Amino acid sequence: MNGLLLIIWSDCCRTSSYRRIVMSSPAGVTVIWDYQYYWIPHGYDLWSLKTSIETALKRCNPDFFIEGKLIAVGTATGDKHEAITMLPDEIELSPMPDYHTRGPDRDLADQAATFLVMEITMKALANRANILVISGNYDVMGAIKEWRRDIFMMLALPESSSPSVYPIANVTWLWSSDDPERAAASMVNGGGPMIPPVQCTPPYYRYCDLIDFCSCNCIS
């Protein structure tokens, strides 16, 4: 595992024969997706995913756009991987090894968390202005909370997530839902965020711009 992580880190950070890290636009959003465990709803068209995510982001800030490809973290095997390879212009796979030492579910979940944290950290160190993480893996929350002081961290969570993790990021979305009413407001359908970034205490109350939903302030 450590050897593999070192190879991937070198691949991302060298500037000669390897791809260069490009400085982020102020409105550009880097999207990191834990597709291994947080897949799209049954019957959903993967081809429209990037457009839906960008629509959801613009409900937070009309200037937001997805910078580059979606970064998909997961194993390079199986039906999900095969579906992702059909969209090489929109999704970039960040593969993790597909092996098991403590049972398949637990081991893969740990690996996914490790790779997600690594991706978040690399993008943060590369001065990415805005990062969206699509994951409900609790082992990833510490990295999101750590970097949100310097970078605008956004999070899309599965419906089963505890409300206690909603405030971890600056802004939080519901990724998808089995409930028709909630599904319409979820990120995969281009819905807006659940929690604006500013939380106020009385006698102040939160005011959010009707156009830029994530531009909120505490006023009396």
Side-chain angles (χ1 to χ4, degrees):
M1 172 67 78
N2 291 339
L4 178 62
L5 294 183
L6 179 60
I7 291 171
I8 293 176
W9 179 273
S10 299
D11 180 47
C12 289
C13 297
R14 291 185 184 181
T15 56
S16 54
S17 59
Y18 291 87
R19 70 180 184 272
R20 293 177 180 270
I21 290 291
V22 180
M23 292 296 287
S24 176
S25 160
V29 178
T30 297
V31 180
I32 305 172
W33 175 30
D34 180 7
Y35 83 86
Q36 184 70 42
Y37 286 96
Y38 304 100
W39 189 240
I40 55 178
H42 179 70
Y44 186 86
D45 184 6
L46 185 61
W47 291 83
S48 63
L49 180 61
K50 187 175 181 181
T51 299
S52 295
I53 293 174
E54 195 160 71
T55 298
L57 289 170
K58 288 182 179 297
R59 291 182 181 274
C60 175
N61 183 337
D63 294 330
F64 274 165
F65 65 91
I66 295 175
E67 193 163 41
K69 302 178 183 180
L70 305 181
I71 300 170
V73 176
T75 56
T77 58
D79 294 340
K80 296 175 183 178
H81 169 259
E82 185 176 349
I84 284 176
T85 59
M86 301 298 291
L87 297 168
D89 295 332
E90 296 191 6
I91 303 177
E92 174 186 343
L93 182 67
S94 179
M96 60 184 200
D98 186 11
Y99 62 84
H100 317 297
T101 58
R102 290 171 291 157
D105 292 337
R106 182 67 263 164
D107 190 58
L108 283 175
D110 289 347
Q111 290 177 53
T114 299
F115 274 69
L116 282 163
V117 170
M118 184 180 66
E119 286 284 3
I120 293 168
T121 302
M122 285 193 295
K123 300 308 178 187
L125 291 173
N127 295 319
R128 298 287 175 164
N130 314 291
I131 299 176
L132 167 65
V133 179
I134 303 167
S135 175
N137 193 319
Y138 287 76
D139 293 331
V140 179
M141 301 305 164
I144 294 174
K145 189 173 183 179
E146 173 68 24
W147 285 113
R148 73 173 183 175
R149 294 174 296 181
D150 305 305
I151 291 175
F152 196 72
M153 295 294 305
M154 295 169 278
L155 180 62
L157 292 164
E159 191 171 27
S160 59
S161 298
S162 168
S164 64
V165 302
Y166 292 0
I168 290 293
N170 297 102
V171 183
T172 306
W173 275 263
L174 174 67
W175 173 237
S176 63
S177 176
D178 294 329
D179 179 85
E181 291 187 8
R182 298 194 74 195
S186 64
M187 175 166 272
V188 294
N189 288 311
M194 295 188 293
I195 299 178
V198 176
Q199 302 296 322
C200 306
T201 56
Y204 298 94
Y205 66 94
R206 185 180 61 214
Y207 170 78
C208 299
D209 189 285
L210 294 179
I211 297 176
D212 182 358
F213 184 69
C214 289
S215 178
C216 301
N217 295 286
C218 293
I219 62 175
S220 59

